[in-house]
Amino acid sequence: MQKAKIILGAGGLVFGVLLCELILHLAYPQVYRRPEVWRYDPDLGWGHVPNGAGRLVSPEFDVEMRISATGLRDREFAVGKAEGTRRIAFYGDSFVEGWGVAIEAAVSRRLEACLQQKGERVEVANYGVAGYGTDQALLYFEKNGWRFSPDDVVMFFYGNDLWNNAARKGIGAERGFKPYFRQLPDGKLHLRGVPVRKSVFWDRDLSALPLPRRLDRYLSQHWHLYRLGQKALQPEIKPAQQQAFYEGLYGVDEGGRFDPAWSLTGRLLGKFKESIERRGARPIVVYVPSIVQIENDNWATKRDLHGLVGEFDLQKPNAKLAHFAAHYGLRLIDLHAAFAERAASETLYWRDSHWNEAGHALAGQVLCGELAQGTP
């Protein structure tokens, strides 16, 4: 009798766990899974695995990530540019890479298709890599820019690039070390942190991990209930860190606490421009608006959630970019107005703050109008 009760209790427990897992899977998914398509790079910190492939899974999407032989999340391009063909290269982070959408729906493909419909012979290459700031995008261009022979190089800037540029390690999904620049007293930039030190984050030999770590990794990537428990137990980001993150981007900052980070970012954009023009291409900067700038409810929620205090100006990054563009002679395309207008009738972002398919489509549409041949 006692044995039967134990078996019945264990069966009930297993049934309850499986039922909870099914409910979470259908109504409130938790699993997040990264494909093995990024790897350590001694020059850039990390980059794509040539010919890598896998699926990027989150509670909101499940998309294929496929990398070309030359390391792009894109198709293969000929080394030589065909006569009469215009080439445009996109540089930036996960927004350019197309986080959460199929590559066919990414902004680079949207622009290419639109320009081709206007009769242009054009190729648009996606050099975006998740987690890159302006500094790594600049170094990536200088390392591989000659391969594509671009006529136009488009540098995308998203708010957290400010912190990527100032950091010695990745601040997003990437936690490895990275190259970084420091501004000298004379204003020149000095590259540091190279060759980049390899961290355990990039140890992909999973068979060498202890069994508990391998089991933890498997369960967190495949079991919604386990992942929910992980999220409940993981430590929260300290309020002071959240305050600094948003204050630097949007705070009035009368004391100039964050001026060095902004100055470094401006100088990096200027250096990027010089490097592009030295290779005979035209530089263009695109400002990517953040979800808090577009969705009022999202900003209100974040202020309450993180207990943010002080005065904020959500147009501060736009003003900073406009100042840098004027100072360094850069063409700036600010997507904010178009996104703010469209957001009244359409959702443009995933809840993880990246563009969804509609966001990529709108960005491609705006850029098409700005970059079509004959546009001043």
Side-chain angles (χ1 to χ4, degrees):
M1 179 66 70
Q2 186 68 23
K3 184 176 180 180
K5 288 182 178 180
I6 293 174
I7 294 175
L8 184 63
L13 178 62
V14 171
F15 176 78
V17 169
L18 293 177
L19 180 61
C20 288
E21 179 68 17
L22 178 62
I23 292 173
L24 285 173
H25 173 74
L26 295 175
Y28 193 45
Q30 299 291 316
V31 166
Y32 175 88
R33 188 160 60 248
R34 285 163 48 94
E36 303 296 328
V37 298
W38 299 274
R39 67 178 182 183
Y40 162 75
D41 185 295
D43 299 315
L44 301 170
W46 58 86
H48 287 141
V49 178
N51 297 313
R55 301 201 71 81
L56 179 63
V57 179
S58 86
E60 297 183 277
F61 50 75
D62 181 345
V63 297
E64 181 185 45
M65 296 286 289
R66 184 172 296 277
I67 309 303
S68 71
T70 54
L72 309 185
R73 191 197 176 200
D74 213 326
R75 65 183 185 274
E76 304 290 350
F77 292 95
V79 174
K81 179 170 57 177
E83 185 176 355
T85 297
R86 178 188 182 190
R87 281 187 160 181
I88 303 173
F90 277 13
Y91 284 81
D93 60 9
S94 48
F95 278 86
V96 177
E97 188 184 53
W99 191 272
V101 301
I103 187 58
E104 293 77 17
V107 59
S108 54
R109 292 288 182 88
R110 299 281 192 174
L111 173 63
E112 184 180 74
C114 182
L115 292 178
Q116 288 175 347
Q117 288 173 3
K118 291 178 178 291
E120 288 197 37
R121 293 182 58 186
V122 62
E123 295 175 328
V124 182
N126 178 357
Y127 281 83
V129 179
Y132 273 16
T134 314
D135 52 2
Q136 287 163 290
L138 163 64
L139 294 171
Y140 188 22
F141 172 75
E142 291 182 337
K143 182 178 180 179
N144 292 315
W146 59 271
R147 295 177 183 273
F148 190 59
S149 301
D151 299 289
D152 300 278
V153 176
V154 184
M155 306 171 279
F156 284 70
F157 182 88
Y158 178 65
N160 67 8
D161 290 344
L162 175 71
W163 305 122
N164 283 317
N165 296 336
R168 302 184 182 193
K169 296 182 70 174
I171 68 167
E174 313 304 343
R175 299 298 184 188
F177 293 97
K178 59 179 281 292
Y180 61 97
F181 288 88
R182 288 295 176 261
Q183 198 165 196
L184 301 177
D186 62 2
K188 293 182 179 179
L189 293 176
H190 177 58
L191 178 62
R192 297 181 181 178
V194 288
V196 177
R197 179 154 55 100
K198 185 179 182 181
S199 71
V200 294
F201 181 89
W202 298 113
D203 184 3
R204 295 305 193 218
D205 185 8
L206 302 182
S207 62
L209 293 176
L211 180 59
R213 284 189 60 189
R214 277 185 284 162
L215 182 62
D216 175 74
R217 180 185 175 91
Y218 174 81
L219 291 174
S220 67
Q221 293 187 350
H222 294 86
W223 283 78
H224 300 274
L225 188 60
Y226 187 85
R227 180 59 185 149
L228 183 63
Q230 276 189 324
K231 289 170 64 176
L233 295 174
Q234 69 186 16
E236 294 184 2
I237 299 175
K238 296 178 180 179
Q241 289 180 267
Q242 296 284 9
Q243 178 71 28
F245 180 88
Y246 287 101
E247 190 175 343
L249 283 172
Y250 309 113
V252 174
D253 192 23
E254 292 180 352
R257 175 186 173 191
F258 301 103
D259 285 351
W262 280 110
S263 177
L264 174 63
T265 288
R267 186 66 190 90
L268 285 167
L269 288 169
K271 185 176 177 63
F272 209 158
K273 171 184 182 284
E274 294 168 3
S275 183
I276 292 168
E277 291 179 337
R278 192 164 55 247
R279 293 179 179 273
R282 293 178 292 266
I284 299 159
V285 177
V286 171
Y287 179 71
V288 177
S290 68
I291 190 172
V292 301
Q293 293 179 297
I294 302 302
E295 298 182 8
N296 293 332
D297 290 345
N298 189 280
W299 172 237
T301 298
K302 284 187 167 65
R303 287 203 68 163
D304 292 341
L305 178 65
H306 303 311
L308 303 178
V309 296
E311 189 177 350
F312 293 90
D313 174 9
L314 294 184
Q315 296 303 305
K316 176 180 173 179
N318 311 63
K320 289 286 189 182
L321 264 289
H323 169 75
F324 295 146
H327 181 75
Y328 293 105
L330 279 160
R331 182 181 178 187
L332 171 65
I333 301 173
D334 188 341
L335 300 178
H336 180 272
F339 270 69
E341 180 181 358
R342 184 67 63 83
S345 59
E346 194 170 7
T347 300
L348 304 171
Y349 294 81
W350 297 118
R351 293 307 89 191
D352 74 355
S353 299
H354 288 91
W355 288 333
N356 58 19
E357 288 191 5
H360 279 270
L362 177 57
Q365 175 187 333
V366 174
L367 291 178
C368 185
E370 293 282 347
L371 299 180
Q373 292 283 21
T375 302

